[in-house]
Amino acid sequence: MPPPSNSARPNGKGLIELPDPLPEPAEGELKLEAVFAALADPLRLTIVRKLMLEAEAYDHTCGWFGFDRPKSTLTHHFRALRDAGLIQQRQYGLERRSRLRTEDLNRRFPGLLDLIRAWKPSSNG
Amino acid sequence: MPPPSNSARPNGKGLIELPDPLPEPAEGELKLEAVFAALADPLRLTIVRKLMLEAEAYDHTCGWFGFDRPKSTLTHHFRALRDAGLIQQRQYGLERRSRLRTEDLNRRFPGLLDLIRAWKPSSNG
DNA sequence: CTTCTTGTACGAGTTTTGTCAAACTGGTAC
DNA sequence: GTACCAGTTTGACAAAACTCGTACAAGAAG
């Protein structure tokens, strides 16, 4: 089964059904401290960066990232990112797919994503 | 005694003595994760923002910020900021004065200070 | 039905971080 | 000298965060 398209949106003629996003802070509720705290972890920074640079047109599962970590650890980090408002998650059957909240972040914290784009994962460290 | 001018710099004719900065990471050693971690604390975010927006031409002591916290707590936070490379500290006799590493930060993480400038201390959450 | 898969929930162990009091350091001023 | 003063250091404590194993839930596929 092909992954659900992320660009599917209501268009007035017909709706393409999309699962509701899991609970997340609204754009106006995003807190800079919380965003910084979420990005203080290298794994989470990698998740966000990978979503920004390598994501296809559809959302991605935990497995897509290829981390060699226990599932419970990944759940923890993805949840931290969603709680901080950096990613959005939708449940597609068994899979929980994530996407970056690019527009919200660019409106609320312009320049933030550029900082993450320029980050080099384990150089300069 | 007037506070030491921060714009005092060697000029080839005569030197104005300035204490050495306390140990700090070089510009090339700044780590984005560490910077984010340092800025995840509201008090530290306030320190940086105040240095950016209200600092005079000279460096500022802990007391200048007017925080109602024990001194050991402030020492802790200022050290965290210096370790992360956000501020520079110099010892003037008894006083330890801090300044923002504006140029280094702008070169290394362009846009970061703009994010902090736009932050509202205890609104939005 | 059973099995496989994707991921969550709970809980434990460990580490890190924030907070503060108490004692201390080293200048300055009298 | 003594007294003060800005700030550090140490050590303790609590709260939070990270990691992970185990058990569990629920959809997909045979």
Side-chain angles (χ1 to χ4, degrees):
Chain A
M1 170 180 100
S5 165
N6 200 26
S7 51
R9 291 289 181 275
N11 59 11
K13 235 177 171 190
L15 296 200
I16 299 172
E17 294 228 4
L18 217 52
D20 285 340
L22 303 190
E24 66 184 16
E27 180 186 331
E29 293 167 352
L30 299 185
K31 295 185 210 165
L32 188 59
E33 315 93 287
V35 167
F36 281 158
L39 294 174
D41 184 284
L43 184 64
R44 292 197 293 259
L45 205 42
T46 302
I47 291 172
V48 169
R49 190 162 185 269
K50 184 152 181 157
L51 275 178
M52 177 171 30
L53 298 179
E54 303 177 27
E56 310 289 333
Y58 42 88
D59 302 347
H60 292 277
T61 66
C62 279
W64 174 77
F65 294 86
F67 295 126
D68 187 21
R69 296 291 195 88
K71 296 184 293 180
S72 46
T73 298
L74 297 181
T75 296
H76 166 71
H77 286 295
F78 278 92
R79 176 167 228 277
L81 287 171
R82 178 163 55 88
D83 285 347
L86 284 156
I87 66 172
Q88 179 176 81
Q89 294 185 291
R90 284 190 158 93
Q91 192 83 28
Y92 296 91
L94 276 185
E95 299 171 335
R96 181 167 293 195
R97 291 175 172 270
S98 301
R99 69 182 291 258
L100 191 61
R101 294 178 61 178
T102 311
E103 293 78 12
D104 290 343
L105 292 169
N106 278 336
R107 267 191 300 266
R108 194 92 161 88
F109 306 121
L112 176 68
L113 293 186
D114 295 323
L115 290 175
I116 301 170
R117 184 175 295 112
W119 180 63
K120 298 287 180 296
S122 66
S123 90
N124 83 43
Chain B
M1 167 178 104
S5 166
N6 199 25
S7 51
R9 291 289 181 274
N11 59 12
K13 236 175 167 189
L15 296 198
I16 298 172
E17 293 229 6
L18 217 53
D20 285 338
L22 303 191
E24 67 185 15
E27 180 187 332
E29 293 167 352
L30 299 184
K31 295 185 209 165
L32 188 59
E33 315 92 288
V35 167
F36 281 158
L39 294 174
D41 185 283
L43 183 64
R44 293 196 292 256
L45 207 40
T46 302
I47 291 172
V48 169
R49 189 163 185 270
K50 183 152 182 158
L51 276 178
M52 177 170 30
L53 297 180
E54 303 177 27
E56 311 288 335
Y58 42 87
D59 303 346
H60 292 278
T61 65
C62 280
W64 174 77
F65 295 85
F67 296 126
D68 186 20
R69 297 290 196 88
K71 296 184 293 179
S72 47
T73 297
L74 298 181
T75 297
H76 166 72
H77 287 295
F78 278 92
R79 176 168 227 278
L81 287 172
R82 178 164 54 87
D83 285 347
L86 283 155
I87 66 172
Q88 180 175 83
Q89 293 185 292
R90 283 191 160 93
Q91 192 83 29
Y92 295 91
L94 275 186
E95 298 172 336
R96 182 168 293 196
R97 291 176 172 267
S98 303
R99 68 182 293 257
L100 191 60
R101 292 179 61 179
T102 312
E103 293 78 12
D104 290 343
L105 292 169
N106 279 336
R107 267 191 300 266
R108 193 91 161 87
F109 307 120
L112 175 69
L113 294 185
D114 294 323
L115 290 175
I116 301 169
R117 184 176 296 111
W119 180 63
K120 298 289 178 296
S122 66
S123 90
N124 82 43

